Amino acid sequence: MDLFKVYRLWDIEPARGLDTTIWDKNGTEYMDFYGGHAVISIGHSHPHYVRMLSEQLARLGFYSNAVQNSLQKDLARRLGKACGYDDYSLFLCNSGAEANENALKLASFHTGRSRILSFCKAFHGRTSGAVAVTDNPAIRSPFNYTGDVSFIPLDDLNAAERELSSGSYAGVIIEGIQGVSGIHMPQDNFLRELRSLCNKYGSVLILDEVQSGYGRTGRFFAHQFSGIRADIITTAKGMANGFPIGGVIVSPDIMPSYGMLGTTFGGNHLACTAALAVLDIIENEHLIENAAKKGEYFHAAFHPSGQPDHALAGYRGRGLMIGLHLKPEYTGLRERLLFQEHIFTGAAGADVIRLLPPLTISFETAARFMKSWHRLTAKEEKQPS
């Protein structure tokens, strides 16, 4: 049996990692500026994380949700305190897509309605309900299409009111920052007005913070820059530093009932231990503050004279969630960063490089990246691709 080939793979196999560094099986060293799709929040192989998981595995790796698991309650309490939603409840699952599926389901249960409002260029996952609210026909099968989902442009307040005023929408789902489409931020005022519209027309506001959450932007959740509170928040990627987990943070106004949601593996002992270790490290090492400071460093470094770097058509993002919109002659830079400078980065199409490094990144590592960037863009100026 072979693998079902749905990924384009670089011919690189990481073998070990430490903080923001990865070594492949041949011993080649790389800087990690992608964190495996924004998953690595506390760096690779953090000793506290490794120790907590090892000790928990030696005690008990798994049992079902039919019995008490105090680790889940500890995680709910700690997460609520860390993110400022301590009066909300937590449902634990296994991934961001699953978190979004459950959020959509809760909105529908709560309102008795079926329709969902989403946004152009949105990405919420690849499972059935999550992909239905994702604006990418390439990853939707005929089975996933539904007349109960509408898409409007980001920041279009008139379109939002036109749709929501029908009174037929269970909820609105929006990313704190759109990641997969190339780091597009909803305006803070738009989020505030969207919050008001959801209140006015009885729709549930769902903030997808799967990629933009867990301190990556310099706040625990990206939507907190706007000062709003969502009805439901979904989280996953940075939550357990690579151990599969997802979370749905639910307003006290939304009442649960037995059997409404369920999961086999969600909130298991190892997943909760990994998530608790991540919160320990985020708090003890002040990683949210570090993300904000390093975001300021990169913004300044990519705007040396007050204007975007000469290779860029634009710079987008907050904290350590950065989109570098390349000019056409520089669209090969991601491959050059990987194969010439040995730096992992992400992409959104051919013209956007995404930087999503671990939140532990140092000023030294950030400066090394900028040296590599200038080395490649200087060459590109002489020999445009």
Side-chain angles (χ1 to χ4, degrees):
M1 184 182 292
D2 198 358
L3 294 174
F4 194 51
K5 291 180 172 55
V6 293
Y7 300 111
R8 293 188 180 94
L9 301 177
W10 300 116
D11 189 20
I12 298 168
E13 184 175 348
R16 64 187 180 95
L18 183 64
D19 197 15
T20 56
T21 302
I22 289 173
W23 291 267
D24 70 14
K25 64 179 183 179
N26 299 315
T28 304
E29 181 179 315
Y30 296 82
M31 283 194 289
D32 186 5
F33 268 71
Y34 195 48
H37 304 300
V39 167
I40 302 300
S41 51
I42 58 164
H44 298 277
S45 305
H46 193 290
H48 179 68
Y49 178 84
V50 172
R51 182 172 58 254
M52 283 190 65
L53 272 173
S54 300
E55 291 175 356
Q56 180 60 49
L57 184 58
R59 290 192 297 270
L60 180 67
F62 175 81
Y63 208 74
S64 80
N65 285 310
V67 295
Q68 296 286 334
N69 180 351
S70 61
L71 291 169
Q72 294 181 350
K73 294 181 180 180
D74 290 346
L75 177 56
R77 176 183 56 80
R78 290 279 306 281
L79 178 55
K81 182 179 178 182
C83 72
Y85 281 96
D86 54 345
D87 57 333
Y88 280 43
S89 300
L90 176 65
F91 175 76
L92 291 164
C93 52
N94 306 284
S95 69
E98 189 179 335
N100 285 330
E101 292 268 350
N102 282 294
L104 296 168
K105 188 176 181 182
L106 283 174
S108 185
F109 269 129
H110 180 66
T111 62
R113 303 170 183 173
S114 62
R115 299 189 71 189
I116 297 293
L117 186 63
S118 187
F119 292 87
C120 299
K121 300 182 179 180
F123 182 91
H124 298 290
R126 294 175 181 269
T127 54
S128 184
V131 81
V133 294
T134 291
D135 184 29
N136 186 347
I139 63 173
R140 265 184 276 163
S141 71
F143 172 74
N144 300 128
Y145 283 88
T146 169
D148 284 340
V149 178
S150 298
F151 295 93
I152 62 173
L154 194 66
D155 292 331
D156 190 334
L157 190 60
N158 290 332
E161 178 146 31
R162 183 176 64 247
E163 294 292 335
L164 293 175
S165 64
S166 69
S168 61
Y169 283 93
V172 180
I173 186 166
I174 184 169
E175 292 161 270
I177 296 177
Q178 290 185 337
V180 173
S181 66
I183 316 297
H184 298 285
M185 296 192 298
Q187 295 177 9
D188 291 340
N189 189 59
F190 176 73
L191 287 178
R192 288 190 284 268
E193 293 297 330
L194 189 62
R195 171 71 279 177
S196 296
L197 288 175
C198 286
N199 291 343
K200 181 177 180 180
Y201 296 113
S203 298
V204 172
L205 180 59
I206 303 168
L207 256 296
D208 177 346
E209 295 276 6
V210 168
Q211 187 172 133
S212 55
Y214 258 72
R216 178 153 295 282
T217 63
R219 298 281 180 91
F220 200 94
F221 292 127
H223 72 269
Q224 291 174 320
F225 282 96
S226 70
I228 68 165
R229 285 171 72 82
D231 298 308
I232 300 176
I233 305 100
T234 59
T235 183
K237 287 188 183 294
M239 193 173 179
N241 210 54
F243 201 101
I245 191 171
V248 187
I249 301 170
V250 187
S251 165
D253 295 330
I254 298 174
M255 299 303 296
S257 64
Y258 292 128
M260 175 185 281
L261 306 178
T263 173
T264 297
F265 297 105
N268 67 72
H269 295 72
L270 288 176
C272 286
T273 298
L276 285 165
V278 166
L279 286 176
D280 286 344
I281 295 160
I282 285 176
E283 293 167 9
N284 294 339
E285 299 185 11
H286 309 290
L287 295 187
I288 297 177
E289 295 87 341
N290 191 57
K293 290 176 182 176
K294 298 309 185 293
E296 291 171 0
Y297 169 86
F298 281 118
H299 188 275
F302 280 106
H303 296 79
S305 57
Q307 297 296 321
D309 182 274
H310 66 270
L312 298 181
Y315 176 102
R316 301 191 287 264
R318 274 174 165 154
L320 292 175
M321 189 170 182
I322 298 167
L324 304 174
H325 185 191
L326 302 171
K327 291 179 180 176
E329 62 267 33
Y330 292 94
T331 54
L333 268 179
R334 186 188 177 212
E335 290 79 1
R336 291 181 173 87
L337 283 166
L338 180 59
F339 292 109
Q340 293 176 223
E341 299 295 322
H342 296 154
I343 302 172
F344 282 105
T345 62
D351 63 347
V352 177
I353 291 176
R354 285 192 287 162
L355 303 184
L356 299 158
L359 308 188
T360 54
I361 184 175
S362 66
F363 279 116
E364 179 186 11
T365 300
R368 283 176 57 204
F369 176 88
M370 293 309 305
K371 286 181 181 178
S372 292
W373 175 270
H374 292 311
R375 197 155 44 233
L376 291 182
T377 55
K379 290 178 184 177
E380 282 294 294
E381 278 195 301
K382 295 174 185 177
Q383 296 179 335
S385 60

